[in-house]
Amino acid sequence: MAATIRDIKEQTGLSLATISKYLNGGNVLPENRVKIEAAIKELHYEVNEIARGLVTNRTRTVGVLVYSVESIFIGTLLRHISNSLRKAGYGLMICDSGDDPGIEAENVSFLLNKKVDGIIVIPVSIKTDSLEMARKAKVPVVLLDRPSQDAEFDCVRIDNRRAAYQAVKFLLENGHEKIGVICSHTEYTGKERYMGYKEALEEAGCALRDEYCAAGTHSIEFGFEGMSRLLSLEDRPTAVFMTNYEVALGAVMALNKTRIHCPEDISLMGFDDLIMSHVIHPRLHMVVQPMKEMGEKAVELLLQRIGSREEQMAMEIVMGTRISEGDSVARVEG
Amino acid sequence: MAATIRDIKEQTGLSLATISKYLNGGNVLPENRVKIEAAIKELHYEVNEIARGLVTNRTRTVGVLVYSVESIFIGTLLRHISNSLRKAGYGLMICDSGDDPGIEAENVSFLLNKKVDGIIVIPVSIKTDSLEMARKAKVPVVLLDRPSQDAEFDCVRIDNRRAAYQAVKFLLENGHEKIGVICSHTEYTGKERYMGYKEALEEAGCALRDEYCAAGTHSIEFGFEGMSRLLSLEDRPTAVFMTNYEVALGAVMALNKTRIHCPEDISLMGFDDLIMSHVIHPRLHMVVQPMKEMGEKAVELLLQRIGSREEQMAMEIVMGTRISEGDSVARVEG
DNA sequence: CTGTTAGCGCTTTCAG
DNA sequence: CTGAAAGCGCTAACAG
């Protein structure tokens, strides 16, 4: 059996209270501090977090609820979240919702049952009914990547619409007028990014052509299909905006199946700088979100909420994005 | 505050013991059962897992230690593990080792501190020193995908060497003699798969040509680089075996940059049937491992170990693989 | 089958 | 600053 605080008591002759106080960073006479530290070392003592949790009602564990653990985007975010949490001594309990709001709700209740101190969620949708239980239980929740419809929860995200707007504007500034888009019309980020695309075109007085918009899901499959569709058009676009990482992967594969070259024949603008970017030639121009900072901020905000007793107003942290330039956008003459 | 077993006691007039017994599936008089159930419903009572854990020394939580949470292969495995675990009422605490054995060791100690009931690990390497602490603490460990050097731990995996052997044999049977390989020489699976490749060629009496072996890491980047290298050879191979998913992705991208076509000009054999397979044209022939079954088996074995008190001999579960046929292998005439 | 009684290992008043 | 004592919410003997 592992050593307990009681063994330390025997070893040092001090009382439980004193030892506990030391363990929690309280002030203890130097000589006692030395004794305790020696005993801890000798007995390989480590605090039993479970017992501590029972009395403090804190488990030093946070739940992380993601819409799909298979997504590369999520994987990257997860790495940063996990690192930050570890640094703070917190563990993370992961739940995969499999893109299903019903499972998401079940997972919330599971996590509450596990008595997590807080929950970071990358939600399936902006309808966040599934999170009501957490609110009732007064367990802090921080949304990541996607906000809730009514801004009732803290959220860390980017301004998807503006990011897309800037990306398309970049294409416009390079003389492109026939700009296609491959996006998702089933998810929040995809829809927002489409709106940004639309606004940029409208502002520039460009006609919005239905056939230039390939709307499906944020998946490699659809990226492939969408790009194939755009390329087969009689009057095909001179530039294409791909609204997420998976879409861009599939789209580039589709392009590579053809004789059409980037950037000579067609310009490309992607979203999210993940592993692929080091592989694709030419290097893609793309919108970059600060993944690391987003993960860290979400953790920071959550821990802050966990730390403060009183409830506060929900807040949104909107991170900036930038366009990383590659070699995939050509200048065309109007 | 949430209701406790004490509130149920007040409500029903029964003793703690009876209620606890009911909660743990024991036999209780029908009338009492009804009373208890009514009280539970009314008070929204839920067991406090923390308190239970303190006395039973079980947390119903297992640690999952992965070499990198960003890998798509891991993501897929994670989904299956997480599902199985959830079904059994277990939570999973994830730790990302970032491909670093040092961090892996730290994570083990972190998980032990969190009092997980067992650990599933997809290890950084087959040198599993980092797991010694778990063994000492008598916390069951099940390895997944990669075994430990000395087979000291339970393990669920495939026979990488044989799987590769069969894949290459398939190519040989289709008349190919000039077969290239893109593999990793830094990781266990890559090395094993290379060995399988080698054995198949030797058995068939084919010469092993150094320039046909592109050895690097299991990454998209290296897949791209390796394939580029093979394609640029004067006397290039007629078929290429790509020993993992990321490598195959990169390799296909490299191929698509050229005028060389698959399967007319070159045949391809991949490894792991993940999302990509639905996108790449022609559909790849590939070695398929039973990801779902592997994840499930690992969980099953671990829970079994957790359940039985006595220590048993380590066992290996080696799952079968199969070759999924696509359109990427052409028959060539010897 | 049910109730009583002890704790699990730790924190936390409250005195001293 | 330190110690004694109570108790977090639950399970596990052991009687009855």
Side-chain angles (χ1 to χ4, degrees):
Chain A
M1 237 4 248
T4 78
I5 199 175
R6 242 170 189 106
D7 299 322
I8 307 280
K9 169 192 160 120
E10 301 302 317
Q11 189 94 173
T12 60
L14 293 168
S15 79
L16 295 181
T18 309
I19 300 164
S20 171
K21 200 173 179 192
Y22 165 84
L23 256 20
N24 292 286
N27 265 341
V28 174
L29 283 187
E31 44 177 304
N32 290 336
R33 147 170 273 110
V34 172
K35 274 194 211 162
I36 296 177
E37 283 168 355
I40 287 181
K41 199 135 291 172
E42 191 178 333
L43 302 173
H44 301 293
Y45 171 78
E46 287 185 9
V47 199
N48 182 328
E49 298 273 0
I50 305 295
R52 177 182 274 176
L54 183 57
V55 29
T56 58
N57 237 333
R58 279 165 53 290
T59 53
R60 290 198 153 266
T61 295
V62 319
V64 179
L65 195 49
V66 303
Y67 60 80
S68 166
V69 77
E70 277 170 293
S71 141
I72 309 173
F73 177 74
I74 300 274
T76 307
L77 239 26
L78 236 32
R79 152 158 291 172
H80 300 306
I81 292 173
S82 130
N83 282 346
S84 302
L85 244 19
R86 183 66 28 82
K87 254 175 232 153
Y90 277 73
L92 73 165
M93 197 141 232
I94 290 205
C95 288
D96 181 357
S97 306
D99 277 322
D100 178 335
I103 299 182
E104 189 173 77
E106 272 173 36
N107 281 339
V108 171
S109 122
F110 181 86
L111 288 173
L112 293 177
N113 225 346
K114 287 288 184 192
K115 298 277 182 287
V116 295
D117 294 343
I119 305 181
I120 290 178
V121 20
I122 311 182
V124 173
S125 95
I126 57 171
K127 292 280 301 157
T128 45
D129 304 339
S130 48
L131 299 177
E132 277 314 310
M133 297 201 59
R135 177 213 291 298
K136 270 184 204 129
K138 295 197 188 309
V139 172
V141 168
V142 170
L143 300 181
L144 185 51
D145 186 45
R146 306 169 177 186
S148 103
Q149 200 159 30
D150 309 314
E152 343 156 50
F153 295 101
D154 289 325
C155 178
V156 175
R157 61 178 178 87
I158 59 166
D159 185 334
N160 286 282
R161 196 180 292 212
R162 181 169 54 201
Y165 171 88
Q166 289 167 343
V168 175
K169 185 139 187 188
F170 184 95
L171 294 172
L172 288 163
E173 283 166 359
N174 276 277
H176 294 277
E177 290 180 336
K178 298 192 291 181
I179 302 176
V181 65
I182 311 177
C183 63
S184 155
H185 58 184
T186 60
E187 302 159 283
Y188 167 76
T189 56
K191 285 191 272 192
E192 283 293 306
R193 290 168 195 173
Y194 171 75
M195 290 306 291
Y197 159 84
K198 190 172 157 214
E199 282 169 19
L201 284 193
E202 281 171 350
E203 184 187 288
C206 284
L208 232 70
R209 300 167 57 168
D210 273 355
E211 70 270 29
Y212 280 2
C213 169
T217 62
H218 273 170
S219 63
I220 300 189
E221 291 90 323
F222 184 72
F224 189 91
E225 183 190 328
M227 181 61 95
S228 305
R229 199 186 299 168
L230 294 181
L231 294 180
S232 67
L233 290 176
E234 196 93 332
D235 181 25
R236 69 164 186 257
T238 62
V240 175
F241 175 41
M242 308 167 293
T243 63
N244 107 324
Y245 178 74
E246 272 91 1
V247 158
L249 248 188
V252 168
M253 286 187 167
L255 179 66
N256 282 341
K257 299 294 304 170
T258 69
R259 288 285 158 76
I260 304 168
H261 291 288
C262 169
E264 303 88 309
D265 310 316
I266 195 163
S267 290
L268 255 29
M269 173 69 74
F271 215 109
D272 292 337
D273 179 21
L274 305 178
I275 23 176
M276 159 189 79
S277 45
H278 306 288
V279 173
I280 291 185
H281 294 234
R283 285 170 34 245
L284 284 188
H285 271 68
M286 55 196 155
V287 177
V288 176
Q289 22 182 347
M291 308 281 286
K292 182 152 181 284
E293 288 74 9
M294 288 170 70
E296 289 173 349
K297 266 285 174 244
V299 168
E300 185 187 322
L301 182 52
L302 186 69
L303 294 185
Q304 195 175 304
R305 295 307 198 196
I306 290 173
S308 83
R309 292 222 64 78
E310 67 256 46
E311 287 185 66
Q312 284 160 288
M313 290 298 295
M315 83 194 255
E316 274 198 319
I317 298 183
V318 180
M319 315 286 289
T321 57
R322 64 185 181 80
I323 290 177
S324 155
E325 302 200 16
D327 316 301
S328 68
V329 174
R331 201 171 175 82
V332 298
E333 301 311 324
Chain B
M1 241 0 249
T4 79
I5 198 174
R6 247 175 184 104
D7 299 322
I8 307 280
K9 169 191 159 122
E10 301 302 317
Q11 189 94 173
T12 60
L14 295 168
S15 78
L16 295 182
T18 308
I19 301 164
S20 170
K21 200 172 178 194
Y22 165 83
L23 256 20
N24 293 285
N27 265 341
V28 175
L29 283 188
E31 43 178 305
N32 289 336
R33 149 170 270 112
V34 171
K35 275 193 212 163
I36 297 178
E37 283 169 355
I40 288 183
K41 199 135 292 172
E42 191 178 333
L43 302 173
H44 301 292
Y45 171 78
E46 286 184 11
V47 199
N48 182 329
E49 298 274 0
I50 306 295
R52 178 182 274 175
L54 182 58
V55 29
T56 58
N57 236 335
R58 279 163 57 286
T59 53
R60 292 197 150 268
T61 296
V62 320
V64 178
L65 196 48
V66 304
Y67 59 80
S68 166
V69 76
E70 278 170 293
S71 142
I72 309 174
F73 176 75
I74 300 274
T76 307
L77 239 27
L78 236 31
R79 151 158 293 172
H80 299 306
I81 292 173
S82 130
N83 283 345
S84 303
L85 244 19
R86 183 65 28 82
K87 255 176 231 152
Y90 277 73
L92 74 163
M93 196 142 236
I94 290 204
C95 288
D96 181 358
S97 306
D99 277 320
D100 178 334
I103 299 183
E104 189 172 78
E106 274 174 34
N107 282 337
V108 170
S109 126
F110 181 85
L111 288 174
L112 293 177
N113 224 346
K114 287 289 183 189
K115 298 278 180 289
V116 294
D117 294 343
I119 305 181
I120 290 179
V121 20
I122 310 181
V124 174
S125 97
I126 58 172
K127 292 281 299 158
T128 45
D129 303 339
S130 48
L131 300 177
E132 277 314 310
M133 296 201 59
R135 177 213 292 297
K136 269 183 205 133
K138 296 195 187 312
V139 172
V141 168
V142 170
L143 301 180
L144 185 51
D145 185 47
R146 304 168 179 187
S148 104
Q149 200 158 29
D150 309 314
E152 343 156 51
F153 294 101
D154 289 325
C155 178
V156 175
R157 61 176 179 88
I158 60 166
D159 185 333
N160 286 282
R161 196 180 293 213
R162 182 169 53 199
Y165 171 88
Q166 289 167 343
V168 175
K169 185 139 186 190
F170 184 94
L171 294 172
L172 288 162
E173 283 167 359
N174 275 276
H176 294 276
E177 289 180 337
K178 300 192 289 183
I179 302 177
V181 66
I182 311 177
C183 62
S184 156
H185 59 184
T186 60
E187 302 158 283
Y188 167 76
T189 56
K191 284 190 273 193
E192 283 294 305
R193 291 170 195 173
Y194 171 75
M195 290 306 292
Y197 158 85
K198 188 171 158 215
E199 282 170 19
L201 284 193
E202 281 171 349
E203 185 187 288
C206 284
L208 233 70
R209 300 167 57 166
D210 273 354
E211 70 270 30
Y212 280 1
C213 170
T217 62
H218 273 170
S219 63
I220 300 190
E221 291 90 323
F222 185 72
F224 189 91
E225 183 190 326
M227 180 60 94
S228 305
R229 199 186 299 168
L230 293 181
L231 293 181
S232 67
L233 289 176
E234 196 94 331
D235 180 26
R236 69 164 187 258
T238 62
V240 175
F241 175 41
M242 308 167 292
T243 63
N244 106 324
Y245 178 75
E246 272 91 3
V247 158
L249 247 189
V252 169
M253 287 188 168
L255 179 65
N256 282 339
K257 299 293 305 171
T258 69
R259 288 285 157 76
I260 303 167
H261 291 288
C262 168
E264 303 89 309
D265 310 316
I266 195 163
S267 289
L268 255 30
M269 173 69 75
F271 215 109
D272 293 336
D273 178 22
L274 304 178
I275 23 175
M276 159 189 79
S277 45
H278 306 288
V279 173
I280 292 183
H281 294 234
R283 283 166 37 243
L284 284 187
H285 271 69
M286 55 196 155
V287 178
V288 176
Q289 14 182 353
M291 308 280 288
K292 182 152 181 285
E293 288 75 9
M294 288 168 71
E296 288 172 349
K297 266 284 174 247
V299 168
E300 185 187 322
L301 181 53
L302 186 68
L303 294 185
Q304 195 176 305
R305 295 308 197 194
I306 289 173
S308 82
R309 294 222 63 80
E310 67 257 46
E311 287 185 65
Q312 285 160 287
M313 290 298 294
M315 85 193 255
E316 275 198 319
I317 298 183
V318 180
M319 315 288 288
T321 56
R322 64 185 180 80
I323 290 177
S324 155
E325 302 199 16
D327 315 302
S328 69
V329 175
R331 199 168 180 83
V332 299
E333 302 311 324

